[in-house]
Coordinates of all heavy atoms in Angstrom, one line a residue:
M1 N 0.9 -1.2 0.0 CA 0.0 0.0 0.0 C 0.9 1.2 0.0 O 1.7 1.4 0.9 CB -0.9 0.0 1.2 CG -1.9 1.1 1.2 SD -2.9 1.1 2.7 CE -3.5 -0.6 2.8
L2 N 0.7 2.1 -1.0 CA 1.6 3.3 -1.1 C 0.9 4.5 -0.7 O -0.3 4.7 -1.0 CB 2.1 3.5 -2.5 CG 3.2 2.5 -3.0 CD1 3.5 2.8 -4.5 CD2 4.4 2.6 -2.2
R3 N 1.6 5.3 0.1 CA 1.0 6.6 0.5 C 2.0 7.7 0.0 O 3.2 7.4 -0.1 CB 1.0 6.8 2.0 CG 0.0 5.8 2.7 CD -1.4 6.3 2.6 NE -2.3 5.3 3.0 CZ -3.6 5.3 2.9 NH1 -4.2 6.3 2.2 NH2 -4.4 4.3 3.3
Y4 N 1.5 8.8 -0.3 CA 2.4 9.9 -0.8 C 2.5 11.0 0.3 O 1.5 11.5 0.7 CB 1.9 10.4 -2.1 CG 2.0 9.4 -3.2 CD1 1.0 8.5 -3.5 CD2 3.2 9.2 -3.9 CE1 1.1 7.5 -4.4 CE2 3.4 8.3 -4.9 CZ 2.3 7.4 -5.1 OH 2.4 6.4 -6.1
C5 N 3.7 11.3 0.7 CA 4.0 12.2 1.7 C 4.9 13.3 1.3 O 5.8 13.1 0.4 CB 4.6 11.6 2.9 SG 3.6 10.3 3.6
E6 N 4.7 14.5 1.8 CA 5.6 15.7 1.5 C 6.7 15.7 2.5 O 6.4 15.6 3.7 CB 4.8 17.0 1.6 CG 3.7 17.1 0.6 CD 3.9 18.3 -0.3 OE1 4.0 19.4 0.2 OE2 4.0 18.0 -1.5
V7 N 7.9 15.8 2.0 CA 9.0 15.9 2.9 C 9.9 17.1 2.5 O 9.9 17.5 1.3 CB 9.9 14.6 3.0 CG1 9.1 13.5 3.5 CG2 10.5 14.3 1.6
S8 N 10.7 17.6 3.4 CA 11.6 18.7 3.1 C 13.0 18.1 3.1 O 13.4 17.5 4.1 CB 11.5 19.8 4.1 OG 10.3 20.5 3.9
C9 N 13.8 18.3 2.1 CA 15.1 17.8 2.1 C 16.0 18.5 3.2 O 15.9 19.7 3.3 CB 15.7 18.1 0.7 SG 17.5 17.7 0.6
P10 N 16.7 17.7 4.0 CA 17.5 18.3 5.1 C 18.7 19.1 4.5 O 19.4 19.8 5.3 CB 17.9 17.1 5.9 CG 17.8 16.0 5.0 CD 16.7 16.3 4.0
Y11 N 19.1 18.9 3.3 CA 20.2 19.5 2.7 C 19.9 20.8 2.0 O 20.4 21.9 2.3 CB 21.0 18.6 1.7 CG 21.3 17.3 2.3 CD1 20.5 16.1 2.0 CD2 22.4 17.1 3.2 CE1 20.8 14.9 2.5 CE2 22.7 15.9 3.7 CZ 21.9 14.8 3.4 OH 22.2 13.5 3.9
C12 N 18.9 20.7 1.0 CA 18.6 21.9 0.2 C 17.3 22.5 0.6 O 17.0 23.6 0.1 CB 18.7 21.5 -1.3 SG 17.3 20.4 -1.8
G13 N 16.5 21.8 1.4 CA 15.3 22.4 1.9 C 14.1 22.3 0.9 O 13.0 22.8 1.2
E14 N 14.3 21.7 -0.2 CA 13.2 21.6 -1.2 C 12.1 20.6 -0.7 O 12.5 19.5 -0.2 CB 13.8 21.2 -2.5 CG 14.5 22.2 -3.3 CD 13.6 23.4 -3.7 OE1 12.4 23.1 -4.0 OE2 14.1 24.5 -3.8
T15 N 10.9 21.0 -0.9 CA 9.8 20.1 -0.6 C 9.5 19.2 -1.7 O 9.5 19.6 -2.9 CB 8.5 20.9 -0.2 OG1 8.9 21.7 0.9 CG2 7.4 20.0 0.2
Q16 N 9.3 17.9 -1.5 CA 9.0 17.0 -2.6 C 8.1 15.9 -2.0 O 8.0 15.7 -0.8 CB 10.3 16.4 -3.1 CG 11.2 15.7 -2.1 CD 12.6 15.8 -2.5 OE1 13.0 15.0 -3.4 NE2 13.4 16.7 -2.0
T17 N 7.4 15.2 -2.9 CA 6.5 14.1 -2.6 C 7.3 12.8 -2.7 O 7.9 12.5 -3.7 CB 5.3 14.1 -3.5 OG1 4.7 15.4 -3.4 CG2 4.3 13.1 -3.0
V18 N 7.2 12.0 -1.7 CA 7.8 10.7 -1.7 C 6.7 9.6 -1.5 O 5.8 9.8 -0.8 CB 8.9 10.5 -0.7 CG1 10.1 11.4 -1.0 CG2 8.4 10.7 0.7
A19 N 6.9 8.5 -2.2 CA 6.0 7.4 -2.0 C 6.5 6.5 -0.8 O 7.7 6.2 -0.7 CB 6.0 6.5 -3.3
V20 N 5.6 6.2 0.1 CA 5.9 5.4 1.3 C 5.1 4.1 1.2 O 3.9 4.1 1.0 CB 5.6 6.2 2.6 CG1 5.8 5.3 3.8 CG2 6.4 7.5 2.7
D21 N 5.9 3.0 1.3 CA 5.2 1.7 1.3 C 4.8 1.4 2.7 O 5.6 1.2 3.6 CB 6.2 0.7 0.8 CG 5.6 -0.7 0.8 OD1 4.4 -0.9 1.1 OD2 6.4 -1.7 0.5
C22 N 3.5 1.4 3.0 CA 2.9 1.2 4.3 C 2.7 -0.2 4.7 O 2.0 -0.5 5.7 CB 1.7 2.0 4.5 SG 2.0 3.8 4.5
S23 N 3.2 -1.2 3.9 CA 3.0 -2.6 4.3 C 3.9 -3.0 5.4 O 3.7 -4.0 6.0 CB 3.2 -3.4 3.1 OG 4.5 -3.2 2.5
T24 N 4.9 -2.2 5.8 CA 5.7 -2.4 6.9 C 5.5 -1.3 7.9 O 5.4 -0.1 7.6 CB 7.2 -2.4 6.5 OG1 7.4 -3.3 5.4 CG2 8.1 -2.9 7.7
E25 N 5.3 -1.7 9.2 CA 4.9 -0.7 10.2 C 6.0 0.3 10.5 O 5.8 1.5 10.7 CB 4.4 -1.4 11.5 CG 3.0 -1.8 11.4 CD 2.5 -2.5 12.6 OE1 2.5 -1.8 13.7 OE2 2.1 -3.6 12.5
I26 N 7.2 -0.2 10.7 CA 8.4 0.7 11.0 C 9.5 0.4 10.1 O 9.9 -0.7 9.9 CB 8.9 0.5 12.5 CG1 7.7 0.9 13.5 CG2 10.1 1.3 12.8 CD1 8.1 0.6 14.9
Q27 N 10.0 1.5 9.4 CA 11.1 1.2 8.5 C 12.0 2.4 8.4 O 11.6 3.6 8.6 CB 10.5 0.9 7.1 CG 9.4 1.9 6.6 CD 8.7 1.3 5.4 OE1 9.3 0.8 4.5 NE2 7.4 1.4 5.4
D28 N 13.3 2.1 8.2 CA 14.3 3.1 8.0 C 14.9 2.8 6.6 O 15.3 1.7 6.3 CB 15.4 2.9 9.0 CG 14.9 3.5 10.4 OD1 14.8 4.7 10.5 OD2 14.7 2.7 11.3
Y29 N 15.0 3.8 5.8 CA 15.7 3.6 4.5 C 16.2 5.0 4.0 O 15.9 6.0 4.6 CB 14.7 3.0 3.5 CG 13.4 3.8 3.3 CD1 13.4 4.6 2.2 CD2 12.3 3.7 4.1 CE1 12.2 5.4 1.9 CE2 11.2 4.4 3.9 CZ 11.1 5.3 2.8 OH 10.0 6.0 2.5
Y30 N 16.9 4.9 2.9 CA 17.4 6.1 2.3 C 16.6 6.4 1.0 O 16.3 5.5 0.2 CB 18.9 6.0 2.0 CG 19.7 6.0 3.2 CD1 20.1 4.8 3.8 CD2 20.1 7.2 3.8 CE1 20.9 4.8 5.0 CE2 20.8 7.2 5.0 CZ 21.2 6.0 5.5 OH 22.0 6.0 6.7
E31 N 16.4 7.7 0.8 CA 15.7 8.2 -0.4 C 16.6 9.3 -0.9 O 17.0 10.1 -0.2 CB 14.3 8.7 0.0 CG 13.5 9.2 -1.1 CD 12.5 8.2 -1.6 OE1 12.0 7.3 -0.8 OE2 12.2 8.3 -2.8
D32 N 16.8 9.3 -2.2 CA 17.6 10.3 -2.8 C 16.8 11.6 -3.1 O 15.7 11.5 -3.6 CB 18.2 9.9 -4.2 CG 19.4 8.9 -3.9 OD1 19.9 8.8 -2.8 OD2 19.7 8.2 -4.9
C33 N 17.3 12.7 -2.7 CA 16.6 14.0 -3.0 C 16.5 14.2 -4.5 O 17.5 14.0 -5.2 CB 17.3 15.1 -2.3 SG 16.6 16.7 -2.8
R34 N 15.4 14.6 -5.0 CA 15.3 14.7 -6.4 C 15.9 16.0 -6.9 O 16.1 16.2 -8.1 CB 13.8 14.8 -6.8 CG 13.2 13.4 -6.8 CD 11.8 13.3 -7.2 NE 11.1 12.2 -6.5 CZ 9.9 12.2 -6.1 NH1 9.1 13.2 -6.3 NH2 9.4 11.1 -5.5
V35 N 16.2 16.9 -6.0 CA 16.8 18.2 -6.4 C 18.3 18.2 -6.3 O 19.0 18.4 -7.2 CB 16.2 19.3 -5.5 CG1 16.8 20.7 -5.9 CG2 14.7 19.4 -5.6
C36 N 18.8 17.8 -5.1 CA 20.3 17.8 -4.9 C 20.9 16.4 -4.9 O 22.1 16.3 -4.9 CB 20.7 18.5 -3.6 SG 20.2 17.7 -2.1
C37 N 20.1 15.4 -5.0 CA 20.5 14.0 -5.2 C 21.3 13.4 -4.0 O 21.9 12.4 -4.1 CB 21.3 13.8 -6.5 SG 20.4 14.2 -7.9
R38 N 21.2 14.0 -2.9 CA 21.9 13.5 -1.7 C 20.9 12.5 -1.0 O 19.7 12.6 -1.1 CB 22.3 14.6 -0.8 CG 23.3 15.5 -1.4 CD 23.8 16.6 -0.5 NE 24.7 16.0 0.6 CZ 25.2 16.7 1.5 NH1 25.1 18.0 1.5 NH2 26.0 16.2 2.4
S39 N 21.5 11.6 -0.2 CA 20.7 10.6 0.4 C 20.0 11.1 1.7 O 20.7 11.6 2.6 CB 21.5 9.4 0.8 OG 21.9 8.7 -0.3
M40 N 18.7 11.1 1.8 CA 18.0 11.5 2.9 C 17.7 10.2 3.7 O 17.2 9.2 3.2 CB 16.7 12.2 2.6 CG 16.8 13.3 1.6 SD 15.3 14.2 1.3 CE 14.5 13.0 0.2
S41 N 17.9 10.3 5.0 CA 17.6 9.1 5.9 C 16.1 9.2 6.4 O 15.8 10.2 7.1 CB 18.6 9.2 7.1 OG 18.2 8.2 8.1
M42 N 15.3 8.3 5.9 CA 13.9 8.3 6.2 C 13.6 7.4 7.4 O 14.1 6.2 7.4 CB 13.1 7.9 5.0 CG 13.5 8.5 3.7 SD 12.8 10.1 3.5 CE 11.1 9.7 3.3
H43 N 12.7 7.8 8.3 CA 12.2 6.9 9.3 C 10.7 7.1 9.3 O 10.2 8.1 9.5 CB 12.8 7.3 10.7 CG 12.3 6.4 11.8 ND1 12.8 5.2 12.0 CD2 11.2 6.6 12.6 CE1 12.2 4.6 13.0 NE2 11.2 5.4 13.4
V44 N 10.0 6.0 9.0 CA 8.6 6.0 8.8 C 7.9 5.0 9.8 O 8.3 3.9 9.9 CB 8.2 5.6 7.4 CG1 6.7 5.8 7.1 CG2 9.0 6.5 6.4
T45 N 6.8 5.5 10.4 CA 6.0 4.6 11.2 C 4.6 4.6 10.6 O 4.0 5.7 10.4 CB 5.9 5.2 12.7 OG1 7.2 5.4 13.2 CG2 5.2 4.1 13.6
C46 N 4.1 3.4 10.3 CA 2.7 3.3 9.8 C 1.9 2.5 10.7 O 2.3 1.7 11.5 CB 2.8 2.6 8.4 SG 3.8 3.4 7.2
S47 N 0.6 2.8 10.6 CA -0.4 2.1 11.4 C -0.7 0.7 10.7 O -0.4 0.5 9.6 CB -1.7 2.9 11.6 OG -2.4 2.9 10.4
Y48 N -1.3 -0.1 11.4 CA -1.7 -1.4 10.9 C -2.7 -1.2 9.7 O -2.7 -2.0 8.8 CB -2.4 -2.2 12.0 CG -2.8 -3.6 11.6 CD1 -1.9 -4.6 11.4 CD2 -4.2 -3.9 11.4 CE1 -2.2 -5.9 11.0 CE2 -4.6 -5.2 11.0 CZ -3.6 -6.2 10.8 OH -4.0 -7.4 10.4
E49 N -3.4 -0.2 9.7 CA -4.4 0.1 8.6 C -3.7 0.7 7.4 O -4.4 1.0 6.4 CB -5.5 1.1 9.1 CG -6.4 0.5 10.1 CD -5.9 0.5 11.5 OE1 -5.0 1.3 11.8 OE2 -6.4 -0.3 12.4
G50 N -2.4 1.0 7.5 CA -1.7 1.6 6.4 C -1.7 3.1 6.3 O -1.4 3.6 5.2
E51 N -1.9 3.7 7.4 CA -1.8 5.2 7.4 C -0.4 5.6 7.9 O 0.1 4.9 8.8 CB -2.8 5.8 8.4 CG -4.3 5.6 8.0 CD -4.7 6.3 6.7 OE1 -4.1 7.3 6.4 OE2 -5.6 5.7 6.0
V52 N 0.1 6.7 7.4 CA 1.4 7.1 7.9 C 1.2 7.9 9.2 O 0.5 8.9 9.2 CB 2.1 8.0 6.9 CG1 3.4 8.5 7.4 CG2 2.4 7.2 5.6
L53 N 1.8 7.4 10.3 CA 1.7 8.0 11.6 C 2.8 9.0 11.8 O 2.6 10.1 12.4 CB 1.7 7.0 12.7 CG 0.6 5.9 12.7 CD1 0.8 4.9 13.8 CD2 -0.8 6.6 12.8
D54 N 4.0 8.7 11.4 CA 5.1 9.5 11.6 C 6.1 9.4 10.5 O 6.4 8.2 10.1 CB 5.7 9.2 13.0 CG 6.9 10.1 13.3 OD1 6.6 11.3 13.4 OD2 8.0 9.6 13.5
L55 N 6.7 10.5 10.1 CA 7.7 10.4 9.0 C 8.7 11.5 9.4 O 8.4 12.6 9.5 CB 7.0 10.7 7.7 CG 7.9 10.4 6.4 CD1 7.0 10.3 5.2 CD2 8.9 11.5 6.2
S56 N 10.0 11.0 9.5 CA 11.0 12.0 9.8 C 12.1 11.8 8.8 O 12.4 10.7 8.4 CB 11.5 12.0 11.2 OG 12.0 10.7 11.5
V57 N 12.7 12.9 8.4 CA 13.8 12.9 7.5 C 15.0 13.6 8.1 O 14.9 14.7 8.7 CB 13.4 13.8 6.2 CG1 14.5 13.6 5.1 CG2 12.1 13.3 5.7
R58 N 16.1 12.9 8.0 CA 17.4 13.5 8.5 C 18.5 13.4 7.5 O 18.4 12.6 6.6 CB 17.8 12.7 9.8 CG 16.9 13.0 11.0 CD 17.4 12.4 12.2 NE 17.3 11.0 12.2 CZ 17.8 10.2 13.2 NH1 18.3 10.7 14.2 NH2 17.6 8.9 13.1
S59 N 19.5 14.2 7.7 CA 20.6 14.1 6.8 C 21.4 12.9 7.2 O 21.3 12.4 8.3 CB 21.5 15.4 6.9 OG 22.0 15.5 8.2
E60 N 22.2 12.4 6.3 CA 23.0 11.2 6.5 C 23.9 11.3 7.7 O 24.1 10.3 8.4 CB 23.8 10.9 5.2 CG 23.9 9.5 4.9 CD 24.5 9.3 3.5 OE1 24.8 10.3 2.9 OE2 24.7 8.1 3.2
D61 N 24.5 12.5 7.9 CA 25.4 12.7 9.0 C 24.7 12.6 10.4 O 25.3 12.2 11.4 CB 26.2 14.0 8.9 CG 26.0 14.7 7.6 OD1 26.2 14.0 6.6 OD2 25.5 15.8 7.5
E62 N 23.5 13.0 10.5 CA 22.7 13.0 11.7 C 22.3 11.6 12.1 O 22.1 11.3 13.2 CB 21.5 13.9 11.7 CG 21.7 15.3 11.7 CD 20.4 16.1 11.5 OE1 19.7 16.2 12.5 OE2 20.0 16.4 10.4
A63 N 22.1 10.8 11.0 CA 21.4 9.5 11.2 C 22.3 8.5 12.0 O 23.5 8.6 12.0 CB 21.1 8.8 9.9
Ligands
LIG101 ZN1 18.0 18.2 -1.5

């Protein structure tokens, strides 16, 4: 189940829409910024029903 969420890149600050796969409740992965192409560290928490409860984005150095 895919949800689309808006995130702000921690490097360049650009807002973009990312697709989140809600079939897993808690996940950590990297997503490349579409503007500056750097790896954003994504932490996503989804409910059992497939809603995004929490989404945080950090720079690679903070992660
Ligand atoms: Zn960026």
Side-chain angles (χ1 to χ4, degrees):
M1 188 183 304
L2 285 179
R3 297 279 173 192
Y4 293 90
C5 298
E6 297 243 300
V7 299
S8 289
C9 173
Y11 306 103
C12 67
E14 286 292 328
T15 302
Q16 57 207 281
T17 303
V18 295
V20 176
D21 179 4
C22 291
S23 54
T24 308
E25 279 180 60
I26 297 174
Q27 48 194 317
D28 285 289
Y29 60 96
Y30 289 96
E31 179 96 33
D32 286 343
C33 174
R34 284 181 208 147
V35 180
C36 68
C37 298
R38 296 183 70 180
S39 291
M40 304 183 286
S41 171
M42 312 281 292
H43 180 81
V44 184
T45 308
C46 297
S47 71
Y48 183 72
E49 292 82 19
E51 298 293 331
V52 177
L53 300 177
D54 185 58
L55 192 161
S56 59
V57 186
R58 288 188 291 179
S59 63
E60 216 171 357
D61 349 306
E62 287 176 84

